[in-house]
């Protein structure tokens, strides 16, 4: 259950080692900002209200945010004089601002979604508020001459829309002048105050596959005179995944799983058309890059054996998020400085996808899993469920993680 707890999360001995902790007045403001955003969720590329709210708050802090070319989302530099170049590559803090097309089913909270069939059920409102808060704190440090290195805030639209709004953000120039990039993602399996980290792949690749098979059709009494399209579809459904499993290293985790198959309308008619659709997931970047050619070849081979004509629509999703060793250690050092080494746990590679991976095709970076579970809560509210919520103390954890990373990175650059 989300709650504005009075419990202090900054009492560890190392918390005062760096400036940039979250003032109480700003903490209260950020919780209100998150709740307002939670009540007004917007789908990918429709985040006009959210973009306007972020722009207004950043401008009120004396900053100069720039809206992306797509009309939603924005980015903002801190510690760079207006009209000047940053001088050296910046650290970017990235958040995603879109919601999901599902109903909010939470009970007992005043900040439920006010928009039917729309909900912040993946924690993007927490990510956004944490980056906003970090930006406001870092802007204050910059005014005092305490920010050693310029920082860029990126508020990206359409993370939930394949192949991801990160590509549009990159096209809008958000990585120009950026040397490293960091982000967090809410994890309801991790207690608030703790982050999950790993080096290397932390998410998986996910693509969408649609296959059409065609033949002349015919009578089920004479399958030898036509293309038995139902059998062809069944063979594609079963043999293509098996063939793929023998053409890639099993450790790559490349897996084709069908979610839909359709063919025919009558029991005594061999149909002329069949359709299959599913997803292709893989754990490593090399296999993901090879997957389209491998899948096309396997489908063509099997369908040809049964004289079916195949048409393949392979829709690229996102590659795996692969955490850079140096940037992952920056996050580790930042969290250790704020809350001690005991507040970091190892995390496994997820089978989910995240378009933060597109940034990492351009610059090194890393993503941490931000704990949002209230200790002792056994409800197991997962991501992408209408009853998902976050312990709002995670906002403070995210803000202070980001600010510590910016300060440590600046000192090392």
């Amino acid at each position: 259950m989300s709650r504005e707890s009075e419990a202090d999360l900054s009492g560890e001995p190392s918390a005062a080692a760096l400036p940039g902790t979250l003032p109480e007045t700003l903490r209260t403001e950020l919780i209100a900002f998150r709740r307002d955003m939670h009540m007004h969720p917007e789908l990918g590329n429709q985040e006009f209200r959210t973009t306007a709210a972020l722009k207004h708050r950043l401008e009120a802090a004396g900053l100069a945010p720039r809206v992306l070319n797509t009309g939603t989302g924005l980015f903002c530099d801190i510690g760079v004089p207006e009209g000047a170049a940053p001088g050296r590559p910046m650290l970017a803090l990235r958040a995603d601002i879109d919601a999901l097309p599902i109903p909010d089913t939470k009970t007992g909270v005043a900040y439920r979604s006010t928009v039917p069939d729309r909900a912040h059920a993946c924690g993007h409102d927490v990510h956004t508020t944490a980056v906003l808060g970090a930006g406001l704190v870092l802007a204050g440090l910059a005014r005092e001459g305490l920010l050693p290195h310029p920082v860029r805030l990126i508020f990206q639209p359409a993370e939930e829309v394949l192949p991801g709004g990160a590509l549009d953000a990159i096209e809008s120039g958000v990585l120009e002048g950026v040397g490293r990039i960091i982000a967090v993602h809410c994890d309801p399996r991790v207690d608030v105050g703790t982050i999950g980290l790993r080096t290397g792949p932390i998410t998986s690749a996910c693509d969408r596959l649609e296959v059409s098979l065609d033949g002349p059709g015919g009578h089920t009494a004479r399958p030898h005179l036509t293309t038995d399209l139902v059998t062809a579809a069944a063979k594609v459904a079963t043999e293509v995944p098996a063939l793929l499993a023998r053409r890639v290293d099993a450790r790559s985790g490349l897996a084709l799983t069908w979610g839909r198959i359709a063919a025919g309308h009558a029991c005594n008619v061999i149909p002329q058309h069949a359709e299959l659709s599913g997803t292709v997931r893989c754990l490593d970047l090399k296999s993901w890059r090879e997957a389209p050619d491998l899948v096309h070849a396997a489908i063509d081979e099997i369908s040809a054996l049964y004289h079916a004509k195949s048409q393949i629509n392979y829709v690229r999703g996102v590659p795996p998020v692969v955490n850079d060793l140096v940037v992952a250690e920056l996050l580790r050092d930042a969290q250790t400085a704020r809350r001690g080494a005991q507040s970091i746990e190892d995390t496994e590679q997820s089978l989910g996808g995240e378009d933060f991976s597109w940034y990492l095709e351009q610059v090194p970076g890393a993503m941490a899993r931000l704990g949002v579970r209230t200790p002792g809560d056994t409800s197991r509210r997962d991501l992408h469920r209408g009853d998902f919520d976050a312990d709002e103390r995670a906002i403070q954890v995210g803000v202070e993680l980001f600010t510590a990373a910016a300060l440590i990175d600046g000192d090392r650059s």
Side-chain angles (χ1 to χ4, degrees):
M1 177 183 297
S2 175
R3 61 197 60 168
E4 183 182 348
S5 174
E6 296 303 318
D8 184 10
L9 289 177
S10 62
E12 289 75 5
S14 58
L18 288 172
T21 54
L22 184 62
E24 177 61 25
T25 54
L26 182 55
R27 185 184 77 91
T28 301
E29 178 191 346
L30 291 174
I31 289 173
F33 187 96
R34 181 257 172 173
R35 292 184 179 187
D36 181 74
M37 186 176 171
H38 198 87
M39 293 172 67
H40 301 91
E42 297 173 299
L43 298 185
N45 297 314
Q46 300 173 22
E47 312 95 333
F48 296 103
R49 184 184 188 277
T50 303
T51 299
L54 289 165
K55 184 172 184 289
H56 175 76
R57 185 61 184 90
L58 292 167
E59 288 177 339
L63 300 171
R66 289 168 280 177
V67 176
L68 303 186
N69 297 340
T70 51
T72 63
L74 65 159
F75 66 106
C76 181
D77 293 344
I78 300 170
V80 180
E82 189 172 353
R88 51 183 178 173
M90 291 180 285
L91 175 71
L93 318 179
R94 174 268 196 175
D96 36 13
I97 65 175
D98 58 323
L100 286 162
I102 64 174
D104 189 333
T105 61
K106 290 189 296 298
T107 59
V109 296
Y111 51 85
R112 282 183 60 183
S113 171
T114 61
V115 184
D117 300 319
R118 303 286 186 269
H120 271 293
C122 199
H124 293 188
D125 53 336
V126 174
H127 309 162
T128 298
T129 307
V131 171
L132 172 63
L136 297 175
V137 172
L138 291 171
L141 293 177
R143 288 191 294 270
E144 298 173 22
L146 298 177
L147 182 64
H149 193 277
V151 173
R152 174 167 292 167
L153 314 179
I154 299 173
F155 298 95
Q156 174 217 302
E159 190 276 331
E160 300 287 354
V161 181
L162 288 178
L167 293 174
D168 291 327
I170 293 169
E171 184 68 23
S172 292
V174 301
L175 291 183
E176 294 174 8
V178 169
R180 293 159 299 285
I181 187 168
I182 57 176
V184 296
H185 198 294
C186 290
D187 192 335
R189 303 165 301 172
V190 177
D191 283 350
V192 66
T194 301
I195 66 168
L197 270 180
R198 67 178 281 123
T199 299
I202 192 170
T203 70
S204 299
C206 180
D207 299 333
R208 188 172 77 245
L209 177 65
E210 299 166 348
V211 181
S212 296
L213 300 176
D214 291 286
H219 200 296
T220 56
R222 292 177 289 276
H224 58 291
L225 299 180
T226 188
T227 295
D228 187 351
L229 205 63
V230 173
T231 296
K235 292 297 184 180
V236 168
T238 57
E239 294 185 18
V240 169
L243 189 58
L244 290 171
R246 293 297 177 267
R247 292 189 173 176
V248 296
D249 189 326
R251 292 170 294 183
S252 72
L254 178 63
L256 165 57
T257 304
W258 303 105
R260 176 179 174 272
I261 182 169
H265 301 283
C267 66
N268 61 346
V269 177
I270 294 174
Q272 295 177 299
H273 184 74
E275 296 178 350
L276 303 92
S277 58
T279 60
V280 179
R281 297 178 184 270
C282 48
L283 299 176
D284 69 71
L285 194 57
K286 179 177 181 293
S287 297
W288 179 75
R289 288 173 173 154
E290 296 173 349
D293 290 341
L294 291 170
V295 170
H296 273 78
I299 292 172
D300 287 343
E301 287 180 32
I302 300 302
S303 58
L305 284 175
Y306 295 90
H307 306 290
K309 295 180 180 179
S310 61
Q311 289 188 329
I312 302 166
N313 182 26
Y314 194 106
V315 182
R316 268 307 200 191
V318 292
V321 172
V322 182
N323 280 351
D324 176 79
L325 171 62
V326 174
V327 185
E329 285 304 306
L330 171 63
L331 286 171
R332 184 177 299 277
D333 292 344
Q335 180 71 2
T336 300
R338 292 299 190 203
R339 310 190 185 281
Q342 75 282 352
S343 68
I344 304 168
E345 62 180 47
D346 294 333
T347 190
E348 74 278 2
Q349 183 177 6
S350 165
L351 287 173
E354 231 288 353
D355 78 349
F356 183 68
S357 53
W358 290 121
Y359 299 107
L360 306 191
E361 296 275 290
Q362 307 291 325
V363 297
M367 170 176 281
R369 296 209 165 104
L370 179 68
V372 296
R373 180 179 63 191
T374 300
D377 184 359
T378 59
S379 58
R380 297 185 179 180
R381 295 185 179 91
D382 203 358
L383 301 171
H384 288 219
R385 278 179 38 167
D387 63 350
F388 170 77
D389 204 353
D391 187 317
E392 290 170 318
R393 292 176 294 177
I395 295 169
Q396 177 180 346
V397 179
V399 168
E400 294 182 355
L401 173 69
F402 283 133
T403 57
L407 294 168
I408 294 170
D409 179 68
D411 287 340
R412 292 175 179 175
S413 299

